[in-house]
Amino acid sequence: MSGRAGSSVRRWWYQRLSAVALLPLSLWLIYECSMLTSLDYAVVRAWLATPATTILFILLLPALYYHALLGLEEVLEDYIADTGKKHTAITLTRLLVTLGAGAALLAVLLVNLGV
């Protein structure tokens, strides 16, 4: 497949694959958060600093941000008619999502390192 149709099919598959990855990771996060004794900063920080939690968060964040990016791009492509504005909006969205994902991953790593 090539061209626009191939890109759409590929994006559709990536959206489904990221959703499948997010399902167990989201269930894990909901369960873990429900098991926390409190949401105090120290408790959450100690929980996030455990190696298993850090690893699962590092798996969760890129999948979550990528899935969100695919959805946002789809909305922008569907609702912005002007090609120039559409391209600008998609580029800006990719930049902001990438920065957000990078900041979230950095935060998790810094907590794990005790910084």
Side-chain angles (χ1 to χ4, degrees):
M1 286 178 241
S2 63
R4 179 77 177 124
S7 174
S8 295
V9 171
R10 188 171 35 255
R11 186 178 318 192
W12 184 87
W13 272 108
Y14 290 160
Q15 186 91 27
R16 294 332 174 256
L17 290 173
S18 62
V20 167
L22 284 172
L23 183 61
L25 291 168
S26 298
L27 292 173
W28 161 79
L29 182 62
I30 291 166
Y31 173 77
E32 286 289 323
C33 287
S34 72
M35 299 306 289
L36 289 173
T37 57
S38 76
L39 294 179
D40 291 337
Y41 177 76
V43 172
V44 174
R45 184 176 176 139
W47 168 73
L48 188 56
T50 61
T53 302
T54 300
I55 290 167
L56 289 170
F57 248 91
I58 288 172
L59 294 173
L60 172 74
L61 289 172
L64 181 66
Y65 276 91
Y66 185 65
H67 187 78
L69 175 63
L70 291 172
L72 289 168
E73 285 181 352
E74 191 69 30
V75 169
L76 294 172
E77 287 179 358
D78 287 348
Y79 291 102
I80 299 177
D82 182 84
T83 305
K85 289 179 183 177
K86 183 186 307 185
H87 179 70
T88 302
I90 289 173
T91 301
L92 183 60
T93 300
R94 287 178 180 170
L95 174 66
L96 293 174
V97 168
T98 302
L99 289 174
L105 286 168
L106 180 62
V108 169
L109 291 174
L110 290 176
V111 166
N112 187 266
L113 295 173
V115 178

